[in-house]
Amino acid sequence: MRRWNGWGDDTVDFEVPQAASKYLAKLIGPAAPPNIISLEEMMAMVPASRLPMHPLLNTDPEERIRHCFGQSMSDWIYFRGGLVPIFPDGVAFPESDKDVREILGFAKEIAARVIPYGGGTSVVGHLTVPKGEQSVITVDMRRMNKLLELDKQGCLATFQAGVRGPDLEAALRAEGFTLGHYPQSFELSTLGGWVVTRSAGHFSMGYGRIERLFVGGEMETPVGTVKIPAFPASAAGPDLRELIMGSEGRLGIVTKCTVKVTALPEAEIFSAAFFPGREESVTAARALAQAGIPLSMIRLSLPEETSTTLSLKDGWQMDLLYRWLAWHGIKEQRTMLLYGAAGTRKKVNWALRRVKEIIKKHHGVYVGTSVGKHWYKSRFKLPYIRNNLWDLGYAVDTLETAVPWNQVPVTRKAIEEGLRNALIGVNEKVHVFTHLSHVYPHGTSLYITYIFRLADSPSETMLRWQTLKKAASEAIVRTGATITHQHGVGIDHQPYLAAEKGALGMEMISSLCHTLDPEGMMNPGKLVK
Amino acid sequence: MRRWNGWGDDTVDFEVPQAASKYLAKLIGPAAPPNIISLEEMMAMVPASRLPMHPLLNTDPEERIRHCFGQSMSDWIYFRGGLVPIFPDGVAFPESDKDVREILGFAKEIAARVIPYGGGTSVVGHLTVPKGEQSVITVDMRRMNKLLELDKQGCLATFQAGVRGPDLEAALRAEGFTLGHYPQSFELSTLGGWVVTRSAGHFSMGYGRIERLFVGGEMETPVGTVKIPAFPASAAGPDLRELIMGSEGRLGIVTKCTVKVTALPEAEIFSAAFFPGREESVTAARALAQAGIPLSMIRLSLPEETSTTLSLKDGWQMDLLYRWLAWHGIKEQRTMLLYGAAGTRKKVNWALRRVKEIIKKHHGVYVGTSVGKHWYKSRFKLPYIRNNLWDLGYAVDTLETAVPWNQVPVTRKAIEEGLRNALIGVNEKVHVFTHLSHVYPHGTSLYITYIFRLADSPSETMLRWQTLKKAASEAIVRTGATITHQHGVGIDHQPYLAAEKGALGMEMISSLCHTLDPEGMMNPGKLVK
């Protein structure tokens, strides 16, 4: 069953290897297992619902708890530490567009607020329930999960928006197709969620971010239905798809999505290479991105992340790898590049040959496909380590941005140093490491992970996290980077959005909210105030 | 010098070959040269300007005539037939962002309306001056044509928005780069114009439409400056770039554009193939688009266009070609596929080999590179034929749409038949032919050319054109296609926009206009009413 207070299914665990916990203890100090409250304790905190009865509403306390949180660090401190959150007053599980319209109509009638809920995996507070006198309905889209239409000839599929990653892929694969969209949350998150948060997947380099995959659909809003026809391209004025994408529940509830699909690739390969240091490898990643090679993925772990990742493994194979790399001049500052290609066998082979040439030119060492295969197989297991690290007393959080290539060193350094030094005041160290998760010809994302020790009390842990998040966000804004490349805005990034959108840009977004949601009932407080 | 009343430079002509005029006469009847008014006659129509003096304004009658028109058929009937248009009261030629702000401020002060003007090549009435008591200033951006910054490492270039195609490419090529954006209007049109009309170029299959090339910039609006930072990607809410693109002068004046550039390709090749008929070749084009081959272009002329194009040529080479094709079973219903690839020599060769396999599989016959080379060399000359056909008494116009693959037959047939039968009431025939100008994995554009005879009077010709345009636009809307794939909305497509945007979509666009232009001074009547 889905964990109510952590990542993923409760039958899956990611045991922290002893080597890794030793490594962490050495870096930021030993930790003590925290007190973790139980579901029963949380149940006792749930107040009576303020909602009148309605056949589509469930006001069961456990459902209200289970729809109270996403996966932001703030959510974790609430559900693990036992801070008292604001609960939604009820949860709706619509099965049709008509149900969604019914819920929106009812909410309007009783002046309730509405929070759309996909897979519940937001890491930036999209699902946080606002304080206030108005009751709150969370709308869980899980039952709207059908494949409605598949145009095989035209490579277009229309799904209900609540379909989760694995169900979507299963439906397509049965017919010989794939969407190719694999955000880290893939196993839990939904198509509609990907659309409204501008999701990027592991293989977005090949298949495109959700922006390139989502071609049309429908959104129910408080003032009616917005329909976007699925044209291959159009010059008919501003593109309304691009307003729905990134709308984060502020404009309405996306009910249907038409997406581009691709015939299943004949071949799919993942390989790895190591480089002697940071600069060479970033230059190599840039060269690869600009070479126009049809790759599905480039992922570059910088030295600190490479060391941390390798600390999760041990054994004679690792010794052998280290010695082999050292023999090639690749030592402590080593960086690890993972890359993938998918398509016809011929195309994949051609692409991989070209990549090897570029790796060699930049003093990298190709190490074959076993590291890549291992990453591919275990890639959705990694987030589970958050549960187990917390149990040991460590909090792990991630954040991300994107910048043009020439800005990579400045922004990366500012964020990493901001995080590393943020808790000096309380004498705490922070372990920070970075990878490039998505590279483009004209820039790259920077994906930063940071680990810190839990404090004695949840409110003190919250203070630590807020201090860290503020330091990183300010570094992002100060160096002119985007506040988010793939996680979205929510409430965590909301204070920093105006820095990149500008005052007029914020007004443009607000005016759209006002047009489709004049009463401000949709997911208030997220994206824009 | 630029023609005031036709396409392009007045030193360039496209003589209609006798074979072609005979072909036309046979198809839709012989034509008689029309009366064409002179610049002097038009000068006599220009009323006094209603503008107060301002150092940035030019109220010279010839400038006002030269900025009165675009290249829509309606514009042609005015400037060639001598109907009296509404003239702008003055023309501004800003040299800086400050000048643009100054002009907008002045216009606001005197309650004037403002029409942004790039290359003056709009074919849908973007530049038409509205009737009314308010004076009108047309802002010609030609002097804002500088390359401001080139980030070679990051493949990003920032230009002032008034730079024309050839100047932009010259500046980039001098540094080893290209934008790769070649709309049919390339020689005259501007970067800012491409952005605000969502332009597509000949090689958009490889380099991307302007939507993929434009990554950031600045727009001056009546309420201030909108700045869009050039991130490689972002999940920070709705994408404001996508509101500026397609805004058609309604929100403000784009002054600066940062675009993705690419290192000049090592090799660039154009080839051609013929197919025995319509269906096989559309299927082949689809297969090519879906095969993920790195091509820069696929352009498929359907039977009627192939015959028309070939009628422009004669001689023994053509006889040879026909005989050779016939020997392969390719006869009257022949279709012509042009395709191109650019990149490293290896990549191009690999791509071309793959294309040949697919052509063969679909019963096409590869005919080498000479047809492709000829097309490439003369591709910007073709629109000049509009001048010469008019001189003979024929009007030629184009329109375009885009649809998912399964809708191609229905939409194409509806448009072609709509046009062919539109003038039955006045006993006139219309010659109609189509090509697929841009193909995508999940659909294609349809580009339709139609030729009809001028009537005895310009107002009668206008009626003919309006009847034709209405028939085609209604066919597009009725079959659920987009009203424009690359030309934009302007005034010609405005009545049909709501069919695809919906009432709420139109409100969303209007609310953006109202936010940035509360007085409605920017290019009124275009895009939305």
Side-chain angles (χ1 to χ4, degrees):
Chain A
M1 197 183 181
R2 179 87 176 262
R3 275 191 179 83
W4 76 275
N5 68 346
W7 184 262
D9 194 275
D10 58 13
T11 61
V12 181
D13 257 323
F14 190 135
E15 288 287 344
V16 183
Q18 247 191 344
S21 56
K22 270 190 200 158
Y23 180 79
L24 264 185
K26 200 177 127 198
L27 285 171
I28 60 171
N35 185 36
I36 296 177
I37 70 153
S38 67
L39 182 57
E40 289 65 36
E41 287 172 290
M42 182 66 84
M43 297 270 268
M45 298 179 187
V46 181
S49 169
R50 297 169 292 181
L51 285 172
M53 296 279 282
H54 188 282
L56 285 168
L57 286 180
N58 183 329
T59 55
D60 174 59
E62 188 174 331
E63 286 298 355
R64 290 169 62 198
I65 291 174
R66 286 183 173 273
H67 291 83
C68 187
F69 303 107
Q71 293 285 329
S72 90
M73 184 47 66
S74 153
D75 291 319
W76 274 67
I77 299 168
Y78 273 98
F79 61 55
R80 292 233 155 172
L83 297 181
V84 185
I86 320 276
F87 298 92
D89 292 280
V91 185
F93 298 91
E95 294 181 10
S96 64
D97 301 358
K98 193 175 147 279
D99 284 353
V100 174
R101 286 193 292 272
E102 167 73 26
I103 294 157
L104 292 182
F106 178 69
K108 205 168 176 177
E109 212 178 289
I110 61 166
R113 289 161 160 187
V114 173
I115 301 177
Y117 184 102
T121 59
S122 166
V123 291
V124 292
H126 285 121
L127 307 172
T128 303
V129 181
K131 265 187 206 163
E133 285 178 13
Q134 288 172 287
S135 53
V136 176
I137 302 169
T138 293
V139 181
D140 185 324
M141 297 293 287
R142 71 172 66 172
R143 291 184 192 160
M144 292 182 65
N145 60 1
K146 310 232 166 6
L147 171 60
L148 300 173
E149 210 186 320
L150 176 62
D151 168 5
K152 290 186 178 191
Q153 195 193 68
C155 292
L156 290 170
T158 303
F159 285 93
Q160 284 183 306
V163 64
R164 302 204 170 184
D167 296 334
L168 175 143
E169 277 296 326
L172 291 178
R173 279 166 189 264
E175 303 288 336
F177 289 88
T178 178
L179 179 63
H181 190 71
Y182 298 97
Q184 191 61 59
S185 60
F186 170 78
E187 292 181 316
L188 308 168
S189 55
T190 62
L191 176 54
W194 302 339
V195 166
V196 299
T197 60
R198 293 186 170 265
S199 160
H202 294 148
F203 310 142
S204 287
M205 190 174 186
Y207 295 96
R209 293 163 62 93
I210 202 70
E211 287 98 317
R212 245 171 69 197
L213 298 171
F214 171 67
V215 286
E218 292 187 19
M219 181 169 70
E220 299 296 340
T221 82
V223 293
T225 310
V226 174
K227 293 187 188 185
I228 311 278
F231 302 134
S234 171
D239 190 346
L240 302 181
R241 279 181 325 123
E242 299 279 351
L243 305 178
I244 290 178
M245 290 190 291
S247 61
E248 304 193 351
R250 286 303 305 255
L251 302 179
I253 298 182
V254 174
T255 54
K256 248 177 232 162
C257 302
T258 300
V259 287
K260 296 185 210 174
V261 297
T262 308
L264 277 170
E266 192 180 292
E268 187 166 34
I269 281 187
F270 300 95
S271 298
F274 284 82
F275 288 83
R278 193 189 310 277
E279 277 72 32
E280 300 92 311
S281 58
V282 172
T283 306
R286 176 162 59 77
L288 286 169
Q290 292 174 349
I293 307 168
L295 292 175
S296 60
M297 178 183 86
I298 289 177
R299 190 186 191 283
L300 175 68
S301 293
L302 296 181
E304 301 76 11
E305 177 164 311
T306 304
S307 299
T308 305
T309 307
L310 295 177
S311 84
L312 291 175
K313 300 169 179 71
D314 45 21
W316 60 267
Q317 297 102 323
M318 293 308 291
D319 284 339
L320 204 67
L321 176 68
Y322 291 146
R323 270 193 280 169
W324 193 60
L325 290 175
W327 188 73
H328 282 89
I330 296 178
K331 297 178 184 169
E332 287 72 27
Q333 290 302 305
R334 59 186 160 248
T335 62
M336 185 173 73
L337 179 84
L338 288 170
Y339 58 95
T344 59
R345 217 167 296 281
K346 278 183 187 174
K347 184 173 155 183
V348 167
N349 289 340
W350 180 81
L352 296 181
R353 272 199 307 277
R354 282 286 293 131
V355 173
K356 279 189 198 165
E357 287 167 24
I358 294 175
I359 287 172
K360 206 170 170 189
K361 197 177 153 192
H362 291 87
H363 314 294
V365 171
Y366 172 74
V367 297
T369 56
S370 68
V371 177
K373 265 186 206 155
H374 177 77
W375 170 83
Y376 179 73
K377 271 193 203 159
S378 60
R379 66 200 165 117
F380 295 123
K381 215 185 154 188
L382 195 63
Y384 282 92
I385 204 170
R386 214 177 184 191
N387 302 327
N388 298 68
L389 278 173
W390 187 284
D391 295 345
L392 294 177
Y394 295 106
V396 51
D397 195 22
T398 62
L399 50 87
E400 31 78 64
T401 183
V403 287
W405 284 107
N406 61 11
Q407 212 182 303
V408 171
V410 171
T411 297
R412 181 192 59 75
K413 227 172 151 188
I415 299 171
E416 288 185 353
E417 285 180 4
L419 287 167
R420 251 178 226 124
N421 300 330
L423 301 185
I424 281 181
V426 290
N427 252 325
E428 285 293 320
K429 285 182 184 166
V430 183
H431 181 45
V432 187
F433 50 91
T434 299
H435 71 263
L436 279 49
S437 68
H438 295 79
V439 301
Y440 304 87
H442 53 299
T444 181
S445 75
L446 293 170
Y447 197 94
I448 291 109
T449 305
Y450 59 101
I451 306 178
F452 61 101
R453 295 198 295 183
L454 299 177
D456 294 336
S457 72
S459 55
E460 185 61 33
T461 301
M462 185 68 92
L463 202 61
R464 285 187 189 177
W465 174 69
Q466 284 167 342
T467 308
L468 286 157
K469 185 75 183 169
K470 187 162 180 277
S473 303
E474 285 177 356
I476 287 172
V477 165
R478 196 173 61 244
T479 60
T482 178
I483 194 64
T484 173
H485 167 269
Q486 67 204 69
H487 285 168
V489 179
I491 51 172
D492 293 354
H493 295 151
Q494 199 278 331
Y496 306 97
L497 189 63
E500 63 194 76
K501 298 290 185 191
L504 286 180
M506 296 301 279
E507 271 183 53
M508 289 165 83
I509 299 171
S510 293
S511 79
L512 289 168
C513 294
H514 189 76
T515 301
L516 296 186
D517 177 25
E519 279 105 6
M521 61 187 266
M522 296 305 303
N523 212 8
K526 320 300 157 49
L527 188 62
V528 287
K529 273 204 176 141
Chain B
M1 195 182 183
R2 179 85 175 264
R3 275 190 179 83
W4 75 275
N5 67 346
W7 185 263
D9 195 275
D10 58 12
T11 61
V12 181
D13 257 322
F14 190 135
E15 288 286 342
V16 183
Q18 246 191 341
S21 55
K22 269 189 200 161
Y23 181 79
L24 265 185
K26 200 177 127 196
L27 285 170
I28 60 170
N35 185 40
I36 296 177
I37 70 153
S38 67
L39 182 56
E40 289 66 38
E41 287 171 291
M42 182 67 85
M43 296 271 268
M45 299 177 186
V46 182
S49 169
R50 295 168 294 181
L51 286 171
M53 296 279 282
H54 187 283
L56 284 169
L57 286 180
N58 183 329
T59 56
D60 174 55
E62 189 175 329
E63 286 298 356
R64 290 169 61 198
I65 291 173
R66 285 182 173 274
H67 291 83
C68 189
F69 305 108
Q71 293 285 329
S72 89
M73 184 47 65
S74 153
D75 291 318
W76 275 66
I77 300 168
Y78 272 99
F79 61 54
R80 293 233 154 172
L83 297 182
V84 185
I86 319 277
F87 298 91
D89 292 279
V91 185
F93 297 90
E95 293 180 9
S96 65
D97 301 359
K98 194 173 147 281
D99 284 354
V100 173
R101 287 193 291 273
E102 168 71 26
I103 294 157
L104 291 183
F106 178 70
K108 204 168 176 175
E109 211 178 289
I110 61 167
R113 289 161 160 186
V114 174
I115 301 176
Y117 185 103
T121 59
S122 165
V123 290
V124 292
H126 285 122
L127 307 171
T128 303
V129 181
K131 265 186 208 164
E133 283 178 13
Q134 288 172 287
S135 54
V136 176
I137 301 169
T138 293
V139 180
D140 184 325
M141 297 293 287
R142 71 173 65 171
R143 291 184 191 161
M144 294 184 62
N145 59 1
K146 311 233 164 5
L147 171 61
L148 299 173
E149 209 185 322
L150 176 62
D151 168 6
K152 290 185 179 194
Q153 196 192 67
C155 293
L156 289 171
T158 303
F159 285 93
Q160 285 183 304
V163 64
R164 301 200 172 188
D167 296 335
L168 174 143
E169 276 298 325
L172 291 177
R173 278 165 189 263
E175 303 287 337
F177 289 89
T178 179
L179 179 63
H181 190 72
Y182 298 97
Q184 190 60 60
S185 61
F186 170 78
E187 293 182 315
L188 308 167
S189 56
T190 63
L191 176 54
W194 302 339
V195 166
V196 299
T197 60
R198 294 188 170 263
S199 161
H202 295 148
F203 310 142
S204 287
M205 189 174 186
Y207 296 97
R209 292 165 62 95
I210 201 70
E211 287 98 316
R212 245 172 68 199
L213 299 170
F214 171 67
V215 286
E218 292 186 18
M219 179 169 71
E220 299 295 342
T221 81
V223 294
T225 310
V226 174
K227 292 185 188 187
I228 312 279
F231 302 134
S234 171
D239 190 346
L240 303 181
R241 280 182 324 124
E242 298 279 352
L243 305 178
I244 290 178
M245 291 190 290
S247 62
E248 304 194 350
R250 285 304 304 256
L251 302 178
I253 298 182
V254 174
T255 55
K256 248 177 234 163
C257 303
T258 300
V259 287
K260 296 184 208 172
V261 297
T262 308
L264 278 170
E266 193 179 292
E268 186 166 35
I269 281 186
F270 301 94
S271 298
F274 283 81
F275 288 83
R278 192 189 310 277
E279 278 70 33
E280 301 91 313
S281 58
V282 171
T283 305
R286 175 163 60 77
L288 286 168
Q290 292 175 349
I293 307 167
L295 292 175
S296 59
M297 178 182 85
I298 289 178
R299 189 186 192 282
L300 174 69
S301 294
L302 296 181
E304 301 76 13
E305 178 165 308
T306 304
S307 299
T308 306
T309 308
L310 296 177
S311 84
L312 291 173
K313 300 170 180 75
D314 45 20
W316 61 268
Q317 297 101 324
M318 293 308 290
D319 283 339
L320 204 67
L321 175 67
Y322 290 146
R323 269 193 281 168
W324 194 59
L325 290 175
W327 188 73
H328 283 89
I330 297 178
K331 298 179 182 169
E332 287 72 27
Q333 289 302 305
R334 61 189 157 245
T335 63
M336 186 173 74
L337 179 85
L338 288 170
Y339 58 96
T344 60
R345 217 168 296 279
K346 279 183 188 173
K347 183 173 156 184
V348 168
N349 289 341
W350 181 80
L352 296 182
R353 270 200 306 278
R354 283 285 294 131
V355 173
K356 279 189 199 164
E357 287 166 24
I358 294 175
I359 288 172
K360 208 170 165 188
K361 197 177 153 191
H362 291 85
H363 313 293
V365 172
Y366 172 73
V367 297
T369 56
S370 68
V371 176
K373 265 186 203 154
H374 177 78
W375 170 84
Y376 180 71
K377 271 193 201 160
S378 60
R379 65 202 166 116
F380 295 124
K381 217 187 152 187
L382 196 63
Y384 282 92
I385 204 170
R386 215 180 184 189
N387 302 327
N388 298 67
L389 277 173
W390 187 284
D391 295 345
L392 294 176
Y394 294 106
V396 51
D397 196 22
T398 63
L399 49 87
E400 32 77 66
T401 183
V403 286
W405 284 108
N406 60 11
Q407 210 182 305
V408 171
V410 170
T411 298
R412 182 192 57 75
K413 229 172 149 188
I415 299 171
E416 288 185 353
E417 284 180 4
L419 288 167
R420 252 180 226 126
N421 300 329
L423 302 185
I424 281 180
V426 290
N427 251 323
E428 286 291 320
K429 286 182 183 165
V430 183
H431 181 44
V432 186
F433 49 90
T434 300
H435 70 263
L436 278 50
S437 69
H438 295 79
V439 301
Y440 304 86
H442 53 299
T444 181
S445 75
L446 293 170
Y447 197 93
I448 291 109
T449 305
Y450 60 100
I451 306 179
F452 62 100
R453 295 198 296 182
L454 300 177
D456 294 336
S457 72
S459 55
E460 185 62 31
T461 300
M462 184 67 93
L463 201 62
R464 286 186 188 176
W465 174 70
Q466 284 167 342
T467 308
L468 286 158
K469 185 76 183 168
K470 188 162 180 276
S473 302
E474 286 178 355
I476 287 172
V477 164
R478 196 175 60 244
T479 60
T482 178
I483 194 65
T484 173
H485 166 270
Q486 67 206 67
H487 287 168
V489 179
I491 49 171
D492 293 353
H493 294 151
Q494 201 277 328
Y496 306 98
L497 189 62
E500 64 193 76
K501 299 289 185 191
L504 286 180
M506 295 302 279
E507 270 185 52
M508 290 164 84
I509 299 171
S510 293
S511 79
L512 291 167
C513 294
H514 189 75
T515 301
L516 296 185
D517 177 25
E519 279 106 4
M521 61 188 267
M522 296 305 303
N523 212 9
K526 320 300 156 53
L527 188 63
V528 286
K529 274 207 175 141

